[in-house]
Amino acid sequence: MPIDYILNAFATLFVTIDPVGLAPLVLALTAGARPEMRRAMAVRASVIAFLVLIAFAFIGAGILTFLGISMPAFRIAGGLLLFWIAFEMVFEKPKSGTSDKSVHADVAVGHPQPIGEDIRHLAVFPIAIPFLAGPGAISATILLAADAHNALTMATLVLIIAAIIALSFAIFLAADRIDRYLGDTGRNVLTRLLGVLLASLAVQFVADGIKAIMA
């Protein structure tokens, strides 16, 4: 199994999910919640996002085939989508949070002290979907699964997804400390660096798709 696949898969999923950038949003969404409630939310959101991404890793190609969409065509479309996300990350105006995710956060913050059922709902939407398992992450997962040509590589992809989600879970639990450590400047710098990396990966997806169609 090539090491470049592992590095590419980890980098692509880490950048598209962007758990560090989600930290201040999760902190805002769960403002007023007790630590045990925030932990329960993080567990629920992480499990749901993991199941969604795993499902698309295994059946995403089948869905595309059923719809008559070729993998090279989806590779180009997915690459363009990832490039659009990267463009937003690089050129967004400095603010607390990443991309248009903060809009959802502002709406959800309307309840100052989320408790019980509110926390469970927030875990599903918007934290699990679309923050963790959003269009970019789903597209990246399908594309990476298409490059997994044997059971070992697919198992590695599953482990990578699990590692990214586990990292997101840990970051959610330490969201307040991470947000204080990075600050607005550090968060904006990190977001733009990750955006440049994602743009490069997106261009590579598009180039691979064009080469496959030309062949």
Side-chain angles (χ1 to χ4, degrees):
M1 179 172 45
I3 189 66
D4 58 338
Y5 176 84
I6 297 176
L7 295 176
N8 181 60
F10 187 88
T12 302
L13 290 174
F14 180 83
V15 173
T16 51
I17 294 176
D18 188 17
V20 177
L22 290 179
L25 300 183
V26 172
L27 189 63
L29 286 168
T30 57
R34 296 190 303 273
E36 60 270 20
M37 296 171 61
R38 185 175 290 170
R39 188 179 304 109
M41 178 280 302
V43 171
R44 184 179 178 89
S46 299
V47 170
I48 292 173
F50 175 75
L51 294 177
V52 169
L53 293 179
I54 291 300
F56 275 98
F58 282 96
I59 67 174
I63 294 176
L64 294 181
T65 301
F66 177 78
L67 295 175
I69 302 173
S70 68
M71 184 52 63
F74 184 80
R75 190 177 297 274
I76 295 174
L80 293 175
L81 173 61
L82 294 179
F83 188 84
W84 174 66
I85 295 174
F87 184 88
E88 282 199 328
M89 292 173 68
V90 174
F91 292 102
E92 69 172 352
K93 295 180 180 179
K95 57 190 175 182
S96 177
T98 57
S99 192
D100 58 347
K101 294 174 183 176
S102 58
V103 176
H104 300 286
D106 292 338
V107 174
V109 164
H111 197 304
Q113 293 186 345
I115 57 175
E117 198 66 27
D118 293 325
I119 282 288
R120 288 192 285 272
H121 290 325
L122 289 177
V124 178
F125 177 85
I127 296 176
I129 305 170
F131 284 2
L132 288 173
I138 290 174
S139 299
T141 298
I142 295 176
L143 293 173
L144 292 169
D147 291 333
H149 302 301
N150 52 59
L152 178 59
T153 309
M154 181 60 76
T156 302
L157 177 59
V158 172
L159 291 177
I160 291 173
I161 294 174
I164 296 294
I165 296 299
L167 179 60
S168 301
F169 171 77
I171 289 176
F172 289 170
L173 296 185
D176 52 347
R177 281 171 288 178
I178 292 175
D179 192 42
R180 287 198 305 267
Y181 179 76
L182 286 178
D184 288 342
T185 300
R187 195 164 48 247
N188 286 321
V189 169
L190 180 61
T191 296
R192 280 157 176 74
L193 290 176
L194 292 178
V196 172
L197 177 61
L198 179 58
S200 302
L201 293 169
V203 171
Q204 187 61 55
F205 280 133
V206 173
D208 291 343
I210 292 175
K211 286 193 296 184
I213 289 179
M214 294 295 291

